[in-house]
Amino acid sequence: MFIPGRRREILEIMNKELFNNKNYKLVTAIVKKGLGSRVIEIGKEAGSKDGIIVFGIGTASKNVYLDLLGINFEPEKEIVIIAAEENIAGKVLNTIANKLNMEKEGRGIAF
């Protein structure tokens, strides 16, 4: 139960009980539909515990994809969110980007 004025105390308890006083960073990747599970698998290989996949649909017109971004019009995407311990977040991010060849056009984005 949330009690007004005790927010800081509640957050400290949550940090201690849920996260064992460790700091986490979110690693987010936006990829083509069907690749979300692979992103989580790669993240686990790099040391993260798990992640969630949210389905999304781009709202830009077809011309924006082709003319400005230079990629095919595929509005269905998977947004993958991984909570990684702060000390391995960079490794998780780099491993995902490297294994999915995200430096190539149209392969997705991770941040």
Side-chain angles (χ1 to χ4, degrees):
M1 170 171 51
F2 181 75
I3 301 169
R6 294 188 57 206
R7 183 174 186 267
R8 183 177 195 82
E9 178 185 349
I10 291 169
L11 289 174
E12 287 173 0
I13 291 169
M14 286 176 61
N15 184 36
K16 182 179 177 186
E17 297 298 321
L18 297 177
F19 302 116
N20 298 317
N21 288 321
K22 294 179 182 173
N23 291 322
Y24 286 78
K25 290 192 173 191
L26 291 182
V27 175
T28 304
I30 302 171
V31 295
K32 291 179 186 178
K33 184 178 176 183
L35 288 177
S37 296
R38 178 73 179 123
V39 172
I40 290 179
E41 183 181 305
I42 293 168
K44 286 181 179 180
E45 290 171 9
S48 69
K49 300 288 184 215
D50 216 339
I52 60 169
I53 301 171
V54 179
F55 296 100
I57 297 176
T59 59
S61 70
K62 186 175 183 176
N63 291 340
V64 170
Y65 284 92
L66 294 173
D67 297 341
L68 296 178
L69 302 176
I71 59 175
N72 291 330
F73 180 68
E74 297 177 27
E76 293 181 339
K77 304 289 180 202
E78 292 182 354
I79 302 140
V80 182
I81 303 166
I82 297 171
E85 289 181 29
E86 190 174 38
N87 61 330
I88 64 164
K91 177 184 175 188
V92 171
L93 176 63
N94 289 332
T95 303
I96 290 168
N98 290 336
K99 288 205 174 190
L100 292 179
N101 297 315
M102 287 188 170
E103 72 280 352
K104 293 183 181 176
E105 204 171 277
R107 299 290 297 182
I109 185 170
F111 51 93

